[in-house]
Each structure stands twice: as C-alpha cells, then as structure tokens.
C-alpha cells in the first residue's frame, strides 16, 4: 500500500506547503471579515432621538378658524423656572420603574429633549398664557414697575418632578410636579401674594420614550391650564 509516509521528502513537500497556504488564506480572510464587521459597528453609532413639545398652540391655531377675541388680562412677569436637582438640569428623558425602585431616576440612552425640561416648560407657559395677557421676563417686569410706578406680579416656579413613572412594565404615566409662588414687586422688595403646588399626570400610550414624551407634554399643558385658572382668581392690583 502506498501512502504519503513512504514518499520521498521531495514529493511530500508540495502537499504540506499547499495545506499551509490554504490555512493561512482562511485565517487572513476571517480576520478581514472580522475587521470589516467591527468597523461597520464603530462607524455607524445610533443617534439619540430628539424631542420637544411639538409646534405649539399658535402653530395649530394658524391652520384653524380664528377665534373670537378674548378680553386681555393684566400683564404678568415670569421668572426662569428653577429645578430641585441636577437630574432636571440636562436634556435627559427620565423615567422611574415604580414597581422595582420608585426612588431611582433613570435616563433613556437613545432619547433627549431639545433643551432642559425647565426651559421647555417655561417656553410652553409663555406661549399659552401669552394668548390672554402680556407675559414678560422677570427683569422686564421689574423695569416696567419702576418706570410706571406699578406693581406687576411676578410668577416664580420650581420644577420638582418631570419623568415617566412605570407602575408595571407595560403601564406608565408622565408625571409633572410644580411649586408656584406669586409675588408682588414693590420698592421695598417682594411681597408674597400666593403659593400653590401642582402634581399632574397623564397616561402614556406606549411603554417607551416616545410614549413618555407624549404623556409629559399632555401633563405640562394640563398643569398650565391649572396655573392659568389659579392666576385668574388673583385680584388685580
């Protein structure tokens, strides 16, 4: 029986060299494919989705039939909205898993607000209240009061909670908590007029960041409606 073991070295060498070449080629090919796959993952990172409250009331009204004019309310100054902690000072979309740990705030990795929540809420507030009255910032209100010897009220707000809260893996709400303080700016300083705390929640239509954003938008609009009704009850000064 003839086997390669009995062949001269000169005849066995080509077979060994051929096997080595094939193994080397397969190794290089596998390494190249791995490198290409790795580069494709690195070169195409997923971008976070950006969210805001939508085009707003004024944009929607521009497409609708103009409403009858409403009597103007007294002007109001609105200060920048303060926040109760660092978690609300960035653009993260936050949520809580209430069924696991209600005290832990978490952030969606692939969802961001276009600006910090306090700025979004203030922007929405000025837009909504501005349909019924002149809305100024705090510095403008102080300057106008001094120049006209007036006592325009100043609204201060603190945003205490702005997150999607899950009561179960498939059930959640958008929760907003605000503390409102209404003061009167006088030559002697600020005088307290009234205070109020609000906690408003609206159900999320889906258990993800998009559902949380829609729920928080609805909760913000509802909170502004409550603030508007509260401000209308304040006596004119």
């Amino acid at each position: 029986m003839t086997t390669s073991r009995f062949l001269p070295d000169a005849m066995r060498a080509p077979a060994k060299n051929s096997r080595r070449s094939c193994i080397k080629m397969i190794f290089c090919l596998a390494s190249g494919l791995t490198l290409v796959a790795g580069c494709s993952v690195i070169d195409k990172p997923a971008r976070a989705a950006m969210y805001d409250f939508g085009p707003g009331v004024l944009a929607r009204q521009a497409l609708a039939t103009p409403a009858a004019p409403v009597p103007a309310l007294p002007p109001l100054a609105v200060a920048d909205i303060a926040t109760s902690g660092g978690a609300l000072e960035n653009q993260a979309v936050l949520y809580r898993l209430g069924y696991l740990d209600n005290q832990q705030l978490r952030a969606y990795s692939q969802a961001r607000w276009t600006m910090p929540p306090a700025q979004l809420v203030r922007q929405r507030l000025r837009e909504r209240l501005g349909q019924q009255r002149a809305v100024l910032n705090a510095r403008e209100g102080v300057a106008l009061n001094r120049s006209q010897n007036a006592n325009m009220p100043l609204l201060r707000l603190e945003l205490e909670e702005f997150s999607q809260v899950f009561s179960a893996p498939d059930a959640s709400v958008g929760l907003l908590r605000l503390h409102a303080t209404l003061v009167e700016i006088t030559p002697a300083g600020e005088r307290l007029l009234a205070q109020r705390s609000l906690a408003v929640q609206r159900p999320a239509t889906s258990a993800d960041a998009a559902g949380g954003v829609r729920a928080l938008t609805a909760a913000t609009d509802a909170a502004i409606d409550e603030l508007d009704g509260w401000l209308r009850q304040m006596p004119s000064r």
Side-chain angles (χ1 to χ4, degrees):
M1 181 173 60
T2 302
T3 64
S4 60
R5 152 171 95 120
F6 299 108
L7 295 176
D9 291 339
M11 296 182 63
R12 290 202 302 267
K16 290 183 179 180
N17 291 339
S18 178
R19 285 196 296 272
R20 289 173 183 169
S21 297
C22 289
I23 293 172
K24 186 176 181 180
M25 185 179 299
I26 292 172
F27 176 79
C28 291
L29 181 60
S31 300
L33 290 175
T34 302
L35 181 61
V36 170
C39 290
S40 64
V41 172
I42 295 172
D43 292 342
K44 296 181 180 180
R47 296 184 61 183
M50 303 299 292
Y51 292 99
D52 59 17
F53 289 160
V57 178
L58 297 180
R60 293 195 297 269
Q61 286 182 346
L63 303 176
T65 303
V70 179
L73 297 171
L76 175 72
V78 178
D80 290 341
I81 297 179
T83 58
S84 59
L88 293 174
E89 293 176 0
N90 56 51
Q91 296 166 245
V93 179
L94 301 173
Y95 67 96
R96 295 180 187 271
L97 300 180
Y99 57 93
L100 291 179
D101 184 357
N102 203 38
Q103 294 180 305
Q104 184 178 358
L105 269 176
R106 307 164 191 259
Y108 283 104
S109 61
Q110 295 301 317
R112 304 275 288 173
W113 295 107
T114 56
M115 60 182 75
Q119 294 182 30
L120 282 171
V121 173
R122 186 176 186 273
Q123 183 182 70
R124 193 73 153 193
L125 177 73
R126 292 197 62 168
E127 176 192 347
R128 297 280 298 274
L129 297 185
Q131 298 176 76
Q132 310 293 332
R133 65 173 84 218
V135 179
L136 293 79
N137 61 42
R139 184 174 298 178
E140 292 170 337
V142 171
L144 190 61
N145 281 355
R146 288 174 179 173
S147 65
Q148 299 187 6
N149 194 27
N151 292 324
M152 182 189 304
L154 170 66
L155 178 63
R156 297 189 183 280
L157 297 170
E158 182 178 5
L159 185 61
E160 299 175 336
E161 180 78 21
F162 196 76
S163 65
Q164 183 181 9
V165 181
F166 285 83
S167 57
D170 59 349
S172 63
V173 297
L175 174 62
L176 176 147
R177 289 193 296 109
L178 273 175
H179 183 71
T181 302
L182 189 66
V183 300
E184 184 180 57
I185 303 173
T186 70
E190 295 182 357
R191 185 171 72 88
L192 178 64
L193 296 176
Q195 285 186 320
R196 181 174 181 180
S197 293
L198 298 87
V200 182
Q201 64 181 37
R202 289 294 183 268
T205 56
S206 58
D208 55 10
V213 166
R214 288 190 292 268
L216 285 166
T217 302
T220 299
D221 288 341
I224 292 173
D225 287 341
E226 285 194 32
L227 280 174
D228 185 32
W230 176 65
L231 291 169
R232 289 169 184 263
Q233 297 172 8
M234 298 294 109
S236 301
R237 311 191 74 84

